[in-house]
Amino acid sequence: HKVRKVYYEEIVGTLKAASRTEIASRVLAPIEKIYVSAGQTVQEGQKLIELDRRALETQLSQAKARLVAAEADLKNAEADLRRLEPLVQKQAISQQDLDKARTRREVAQAQLDHAQQAEVEARVMLSYATITAPKAGMIVDTLAKEGDMARPGVPLLVLYDPASLRLEVPVPEHLAIQLRKGQKLSVRIDALQKDVESVIDEIVPQAELASRSFLVKVRLPRSEELFEGMSGRLLVPAGQRDHLCLNMDALQRIGQLEFVEVLRDDGTVERRFVKTGRIGMPGRIEVLSGLQEGEKVLLKSHFAPSPGPSPTSSSS
């Protein structure tokens, strides 16, 4: 019998993580210890790298010393000001001397504020000696070794979230214009020999000039078997077509040849070679040539003589 069915075009793409982070140092310091390796799963806040802290600790000690000196200067300036204020009223000193004392107090206060900020900054810089994971994920690459010099902005580790894996495929424009964000499509992962359901997460609204295609990104379910860089094939609906559907129990094979036993109207049987296509619904296969709609074929249970009821036929 004839079946109308949606057919798909398979478009090859690559698995990429939507959430990918390059982890770098914020300070210039030698790497003392690396606690993780490629393929390891980490949690948010987990310690990844420890840098040499000695130079940063020295900077913090110097900042603390400057803070103590600034506090002492402010204390002396305030004491001088308190001592001079009554003398102005007694006209023992001039107003100018009092103004100078107030200026010294303000300068000492500004120096103290600056020293406090420098001490806070030194503490923050020291905290950068310990590099932690900004979020949960998997380490996919280590770009440095213990003993290397960590430089600000130069990546040391690459971290990605396995839950954010997407298949990115260049879909031809005549198919891409039919797709919508949130639409569900199947993805075939050849390495795993299985299909997974995906959801369109993003369609880049600009066609690539050379290939006349749109970049489509589909979100995949989280799986321990999927990794960034693997390939997959997106099954995009391309239209509908009619084809003949045959019961697979009627199909026989000799080498690469396929044939069926056709039951004629007069009750005789004709062996006829056929060409088949894809498997459709369970137990049915597409017939490309050799049969016509409505013809009857014998099932495998009737090919060899056996006791019991007379052979029956099945509609193709």
Side-chain angles (χ1 to χ4, degrees):
H1 58 275
K2 187 177 292 185
V3 174
R4 174 163 291 182
K5 191 175 181 181
V6 176
Y7 69 95
Y8 298 85
E9 286 194 22
E10 298 181 355
I11 306 172
V12 178
T14 303
L15 268 65
K16 295 183 180 180
S19 177
R20 182 184 178 91
T21 305
E22 292 184 343
I23 299 174
S25 172
R26 297 188 181 185
V27 295
L28 179 66
I31 297 175
E32 190 172 274
K33 182 70 176 177
I34 299 178
Y35 296 98
V36 294
S37 57
Q40 183 174 341
T41 300
V42 298
Q43 301 301 319
E44 182 178 354
Q46 182 175 334
K47 186 185 295 186
L48 303 179
I49 295 177
E50 189 70 43
L51 303 180
D52 191 330
R53 307 168 63 90
R54 289 173 294 182
L56 299 173
E57 288 174 344
T58 299
Q59 294 176 10
L60 178 59
S61 298
Q62 293 173 349
K64 288 180 177 179
R66 289 192 291 268
L67 178 59
V68 172
E71 289 173 342
D73 289 343
L74 178 61
K75 185 177 181 180
N76 291 334
E78 289 177 339
D80 290 343
L81 182 61
R82 287 194 299 270
R83 180 175 56 84
L84 294 176
E85 283 176 340
L87 297 179
V88 172
Q89 297 174 358
K90 297 177 181 179
Q91 296 183 347
I93 62 171
S94 65
Q95 183 65 38
Q96 184 178 5
D97 291 335
L98 181 62
D99 292 341
K100 289 181 179 179
R102 287 173 175 170
T103 300
R104 286 197 300 271
R105 196 271 307 268
E106 292 174 357
V107 171
Q109 181 64 57
Q111 291 176 341
L112 176 61
D113 293 341
H114 178 74
Q116 289 174 338
Q117 293 174 0
E119 193 262 350
V120 171
E121 182 180 356
R123 288 184 182 276
V124 172
M125 295 296 286
L126 181 59
S127 70
Y128 292 157
T130 301
I131 301 176
T132 59
K135 57 187 175 183
M138 178 182 290
I139 302 296
V140 293
D141 201 2
T142 55
L143 307 175
K145 298 179 180 179
E146 295 177 1
D148 290 350
M149 181 64 71
R151 303 180 185 277
V154 178
L156 304 175
L157 302 171
V158 179
L159 171 74
Y160 86 94
D161 182 3
S164 70
L165 277 181
R166 301 187 299 188
L167 181 71
E168 298 187 3
V169 294
V171 179
E173 57 184 10
H174 70 280
L175 297 177
I177 60 175
Q178 304 175 30
L179 301 179
R180 297 291 181 268
K181 184 176 180 180
Q183 183 176 347
K184 294 182 179 181
L185 297 174
S186 291
V187 171
R188 184 162 297 154
I189 307 297
D190 292 331
L192 305 179
Q193 294 295 311
K194 70 176 184 180
D195 293 351
V196 296
E197 188 177 80
S198 67
V199 179
I200 296 179
D201 200 30
E202 181 183 348
I203 301 176
V204 177
Q206 181 178 359
E208 206 283 322
L209 296 178
S211 61
R212 298 296 179 186
S213 61
F214 287 84
L215 184 62
V216 177
K217 304 176 182 180
V218 296
R219 185 172 65 254
L220 302 175
R222 180 163 186 167
S223 172
E224 299 297 331
E225 299 176 309
L226 298 178
F227 299 94
E228 193 176 29
M230 294 176 66
S231 66
R233 288 182 287 166
L234 182 65
L235 278 61
V236 180
Q240 292 185 337
R241 62 187 177 90
D242 296 334
H243 68 266
L244 290 180
C245 183
L246 175 67
N247 190 323
M248 292 183 65
D249 285 339
L251 191 63
Q252 300 183 70
R253 290 185 175 88
I254 299 178
Q256 295 183 350
L257 299 178
E258 299 175 317
F259 63 92
V260 295
E261 302 287 352
V262 180
L263 183 64
R264 297 194 184 103
D265 293 338
D266 59 4
T268 60
V269 176
E270 172 192 356
R271 174 170 293 185
R272 190 181 300 173
F273 290 100
V274 296
K275 183 177 180 181
T276 60
R278 299 178 181 178
I279 296 177
M281 64 185 74
R284 297 292 188 269
I285 193 169
E286 177 184 8
V287 180
L288 302 178
S289 64
L291 288 173
Q292 300 294 326
E293 181 181 7
E295 288 188 305
K296 295 181 180 180
V297 295
L298 298 182
L299 302 182
K300 286 182 180 179
S301 58
H302 306 126
F303 292 158
S306 61
S310 59
T312 60
S313 62
S314 170
S315 174
S316 61

